[in-house]
Amino acid sequence: MMKKVLMPLPAHDFDPTEAAVTWRVLRGAGHQVLFATPEGQPALADPLMLSGEGLDLWGAIPGLKKVKLLGLLLRADQFGRSAYAALEQDHNFLHPLAYEMTVADEYDALVLPGGHAKGMRPYLESTLLQALVAEFFERKTGEAPHRPVAAICHGVLLAARSVSPSTGKSILYGRKTTALTWALEKSAASLSRSIGRVWEPGYYRTYTEAAGEASGYWSVETEVKRWLAKPDDFCDVPRNHSDFKKKTGGLARDRLDDSRPAWVVRDGQYLSARWPGDAHTFAKQFVGMLGGAV
């Protein structure tokens, strides 16, 4: 049975792979994906993640920025770019609702993509979105715990910041989750600072620490943990996992037929993942939660 799935996006800077691959897999399984943006205008993905231009040491030089080395490694791969090119032609993507016009009861499920560039902040900090996300986690009469919700990367941070009106706590309080890990976030930021986008050292850090704050205090993982019932509810890849290096190295990305690089955590009707390298497995498992198959 077709389900109506809502995917809110920021005005710009969302991760193209996390949104587009998820959209493509859901659409392929027969579900309808609708979108919401701050003003009801089509959203724009982070251009650096699409082209890779500006991610190399010489990326600020107009005549050289099209020469890509590190940029080829860090940008969306061919599957993410292909999915985004298709997404740009989708009628629902081109005609989103404004955040203020969205009503949780009109949808069967919710997907929260992520992204790390500064344009993500209004999305992560939107009180309208936080209230909407909380509504999806409220029990509906005659239904199981709540409608299916999936969040990946910084999308988990939006979920964590969404407070239940009935408990006054995060809707993730008492749930198991994963998200962009500090190890992955720190690795990308360090690479950019040393041999990449050195003129913008904070590009990979949506939020950075003030003087006197511990390193990583405003990383996604650390903030999400502060919203949970206990730090151990944040689930990372166990060191004894047979695919530990593949899952945590930050280089291998999953495919629809290869989930070995992915790390996805399910807690009831809530699904979470870490980064674009988990997107196919994340979307495939969410289709399963909606009662279908890829």
Side-chain angles (χ1 to χ4, degrees):
M1 180 184 297
M2 184 195 77
K3 300 293 178 67
K4 289 178 64 177
V5 182
L6 177 64
M7 184 184 291
L9 294 170
H12 56 89
D13 279 350
F14 65 91
D15 183 85
T17 300
E18 293 169 3
V21 166
T22 303
W23 163 81
R24 174 172 269 181
V25 173
L26 287 169
R27 278 286 306 274
H31 300 299
Q32 182 182 24
V33 183
L34 299 109
F35 299 86
T37 59
E39 304 296 333
Q41 298 297 316
L44 297 171
D46 181 350
L48 275 66
M49 288 294 98
L50 287 169
S51 70
E53 294 178 12
L55 294 176
D56 287 284
L57 191 61
W58 51 83
I61 304 173
L64 292 178
K65 69 178 184 178
K66 290 187 178 296
V67 179
K68 294 165 287 191
L69 293 177
L70 187 62
L72 293 176
L73 176 66
L74 296 178
R75 71 177 182 175
D77 66 12
Q78 59 176 320
F79 299 96
R81 298 195 308 276
S82 170
Y84 185 72
L87 177 62
E88 287 186 299
Q89 308 303 314
D90 180 72
H91 175 81
N92 292 330
F93 178 76
L94 294 172
H95 298 87
L97 289 173
Y99 288 168
E100 63 183 0
M101 299 299 293
T102 55
V103 179
D105 284 344
E106 295 179 358
Y107 303 93
D108 300 304
L110 176 70
V111 174
L112 302 175
H116 59 264
K118 300 301 185 286
M120 288 294 295
R121 286 183 178 181
Y123 168 84
L124 298 172
E125 298 169 6
S126 170
T127 55
L128 285 173
L129 275 189
Q130 291 169 12
L132 181 70
V133 173
E135 284 188 64
F136 273 89
F137 277 86
E138 294 298 311
R139 184 187 300 272
K140 292 181 67 178
T141 302
E143 293 192 1
H146 58 80
R147 282 158 288 186
V149 177
I152 181 170
C153 193
H154 286 64
V156 179
L157 183 55
L158 171 58
R161 291 177 174 181
S162 302
V163 175
S164 167
S166 59
T167 67
K169 296 178 179 178
S170 168
I171 50 87
L172 296 187
Y173 189 89
R175 289 186 168 91
K176 300 288 186 181
T177 190
T178 193
L180 179 66
T181 62
W182 175 224
L184 286 172
E185 188 173 350
K186 180 170 59 174
S187 175
S190 298
L191 193 64
S192 183
R193 282 196 304 269
S194 58
I195 60 173
R197 198 174 173 84
V198 295
W199 63 94
E200 190 186 1
Y203 166 65
Y204 276 101
R205 297 292 313 281
T206 314
Y207 299 95
T208 54
E209 290 74 41
E213 291 180 329
S215 175
Y217 184 79
W218 290 110
S219 69
V220 173
E221 175 180 345
T222 306
E223 183 180 347
V224 167
K225 283 180 174 178
R226 291 198 291 271
W227 289 101
L228 303 179
K230 55 184 185 297
D232 287 350
D233 285 342
F234 188 96
C235 302
D236 201 355
V237 184
R239 295 195 66 84
N240 62 354
H241 196 290
S242 58
D243 289 315
F244 177 80
K245 290 185 178 179
K246 188 181 292 288
K247 291 179 182 295
T248 61
L251 295 177
R253 298 187 180 214
D254 72 350
R255 303 285 181 263
L256 274 179
D257 60 353
D258 185 4
S259 63
R260 289 174 301 166
W263 179 249
V264 179
V265 173
R266 180 174 178 179
D267 186 333
Q269 291 288 83
Y270 167 63
L271 187 74
S272 59
R274 306 166 302 167
W275 74 302
D278 301 333
H280 289 89
T281 305
F282 170 75
K284 189 174 180 179
Q285 289 196 20
F286 198 49
V287 166
M289 289 171 60
L290 297 179
V294 176

